[in-house]
Each structure stands twice: as structure tokens, then as C-alpha cells.
Amino acid sequence: FPGHESYITFCHLENEAAFTCSADHTIRKWDVMTGQCLAIYRGHTSIVNRILVAKDYLFSGSYDRTARCWSVDKEKQIQEFRGHRNCVLTLAHYSSRDVLEEEEEEEEEEEKVSRDLLVTGSTDCTVKVWWVSSGRCYQTLLGHTGAVLCLILDAPNRELFSGSTDYTIRTWNIVTGEQLKVFKEHQGSVICLELVNRHLYSGSADRTVKCWLVDTGERIQTYKAHKHSVSTLKYHAGILFTGSGDACARAFNSKSGVLQKIFRGHKFIINCIQIHNELLYTASHDGTLRIWDIRGICKRNKRRLKKERSAQGRSSQKGSLSRLFNNKVGCMVQQENGE
């Protein structure tokens, strides 16, 4: 998908559209079938680091120290969030209906019309929560001693996870702002997070991914093989896909940690991985978005998981099976360079 005038920093897939943001200060919407650019969102005055699509909103965070909200269809800016003292690197979105009890919502009469909230992480070491409708800051979460590089939300459990250059992952109560837990085993900045069935995966500048049990804080697996920082993660059907500064994407057996596949073709760091309609999308600093065929690896993994479940079922008591591998979303694309 040619069009951006500088490298792509992030990609978001929504239905049959792909949204990309770039160091050229813009966000673009693409038709994934034709590669045609459908819309361009202009307004940021520096690199756009992250985007997120929720409902009819497009959210973005930038080095210009702001986050912004856009109308997806009208290509128009709706809201601007100002308050961070440095660049906004990461975003999350939720509705207060997902986390607040009815009596708690009563206290927020000002925001009755729209209960959407945006969460932002910044190099100013803080996480901020904003009301989307007014742009007002709801709360600021303090505790990290380094830039906040990644966020992931577990709204049903009222928990927010943040990763930082201070080498830690922190868990917060999204309603009260209380810090609940700190995960400390990484030896480098925590760059990306993925949460699946109360298992937290963290990618780091120490060239590893770690898997943690959220409820206990125990690390249960470490994934090695990267030759540079792990920049992005995506879990799919028992497979952990990673992108790295070594320009390669990798597929690991999420349970055993065994490396199953390396995807080569990009020239620079892979910033984002998405999986949609059996396609693996990788966006890179080389300015390209590539699409890969992962049908084979997914089919093999599904067969293995089916055998494991069958074996566990025969040897375990009813109801004792792990929920870790219950994600049955399917996975596939055009072959390139033999990959």
C-alpha cells in the first residue's frame, strides 16, 4: 500500500479496511482488497505513534503531545486531548458502562451523554484517562519511572496493564487508579503487551517475550530467538506472533515456547502485527505493509491443540481443562519470497 511519505508506525484492521499512521504526521484508511487509499486524516504536527478504531471513532496519539479523536467517515477531528508534558505513545479505549456500577455512574453526570473514555500513555511517565466527549482528564496514574510504551485493558476485571522503559509492567484498577501489582523480571524496556484469558504476554528490548499469570504474577514461559528488541505481539489460536527490530516476524508455540516459523522480507523494524480473515499483516519502518500466508501453521497448530485437549480430557477430571487455548479464531495469504 504505497502512499505514506515516511515510515509506518502502526496499523489497525477494522472490517475490510486498514488504518495506518506514519511519521509523515498523517493517518490513512485503505481498502485491504485493492490497496486503494480511502481517506487521509490530517491535523497532527508531528509523528503519529499509535491509532485505535472504536465504534465510529478513530483515536490517535502523537509526538506533538496530544491525542486526538476523529470521525472515521467524515475525516474530521472531533476532540483533542491536551495535558501530557511529552509525546503520547500508546492508547486504549473503553466505556464506563463496562467498568462502573450504576451508583458510580451517577457521580459523573457531566459525562452522561457519552460514557466513552480514552487511556493514553506518555514519555512523561504517566498514564491518563480522558472523557472522550469533553476532552477532560478523568484521572492520572502515577508510578512508572520511565516512559509508558504500551497499554492493554481488561475492562470486565477493571484492570489496566502498562509497560515502560523502567523495565516493569504495572497493573492498575481502572476505576480507582490504585496500583495493584508490579511485574519486574525483564532486563529491558517493556515495549508491547498482549492479554489472553488472564495470561499476559510482554515483549521487551531484552529480546525476549515473557508469559505471566495475571492473578499470581508468576512468570510461566520465556520466548527466545529474537536478534533485537521485540516490538509487537499478537496471540492467535495457540500461536504467539512477534515482530522485532531484526525485521523478522516469528511464530511460537505459545505453550511450549518452541519457534515454529520466521517471516523474512521487511528491511527494518516491524512495528505492528495484525491478524484478520486468515491473513497476517505486518507494518514496518521500511514504509510497507506486508501480508503473509499462515494457513499451514494455523492448521497444524489446531490439530495439535485438538490432540492435546483430547489427551487432557481422558486424563483429567471434568472441568479442569485450561482455558488458555480456547481461542478458536481461524487464520491465512499471498505467498511472497517463498514464505
Side-chain angles (χ1 to χ4, degrees), residues 3-181:
H4 280 297
E5 297 174 5
S6 188
Y7 61 85
I8 295 170
T9 54
F10 196 73
C11 170
H12 180 100
L13 299 174
E14 191 76 12
N15 299 321
E16 299 306 317
F19 295 83
T20 56
C21 56
S22 169
D24 66 10
H25 306 182
T26 71
I27 304 155
R28 289 177 181 253
K29 178 182 179 182
W30 311 84
D31 183 316
V32 297
M33 301 304 295
T34 66
Q36 179 186 1
C37 181
L38 303 176
I40 303 176
Y41 306 84
R42 306 180 191 273
H44 280 295
T45 58
S46 189
I47 297 170
V48 185
N49 298 303
R50 189 62 54 96
I51 49 176
L52 172 66
V53 178
K55 300 179 180 178
D56 297 322
Y57 298 132
L58 168 65
F59 297 97
S60 57
S62 169
Y63 267 96
D64 64 15
R65 303 185 182 186
T66 72
R68 303 186 188 215
C69 177
W70 314 77
S71 167
V72 170
D73 296 328
K74 298 179 181 179
E75 304 175 45
K76 178 183 177 183
Q77 183 177 308
I78 299 172
Q79 190 60 262
E80 187 173 305
F81 307 91
R82 285 189 176 272
H84 281 296
R85 299 189 310 276
N86 216 320
C87 55
V88 179
L89 297 176
T90 182
L91 307 168
H93 170 271
Y94 69 99
S95 169
S96 63
R97 292 186 184 93
D98 299 331
V99 300
L100 296 178
E101 301 294 340
E102 289 186 11
E103 59 272 18
E104 292 173 311
E105 285 193 280
E106 299 276 333
E107 300 174 5
E108 301 295 344
E109 289 293 334
E110 178 188 342
E111 309 295 337
K112 270 291 184 182
V113 178
S114 173
R115 298 188 176 96
D116 291 294
L117 293 111
L118 177 69
V119 188
T120 56
S122 168
T123 51
D124 65 12
C125 307
T126 70
V127 175
K128 289 183 179 288
V129 184
W130 313 80
W131 289 108
V132 172
S133 59
S134 66
R136 181 172 65 90
C137 184
Y138 171 57
Q139 61 182 356
T140 300
L141 309 182
L142 303 173
H144 280 297
T145 58
V148 179
L149 303 181
C150 49
L151 296 169
I152 196 161
L153 187 68
D154 183 359
N157 290 290
R158 298 181 163 201
E159 290 179 346
L160 176 74
F161 301 87
S162 57
S164 169
T165 58
D166 63 14
Y167 299 5
T168 71
I169 305 158
R170 295 173 192 257
T171 312
W172 313 83
N173 181 305
I174 197 63
V175 177
T176 66
E178 177 189 3
Q179 183 175 290
L180 304 175
K181 198 180 276 98

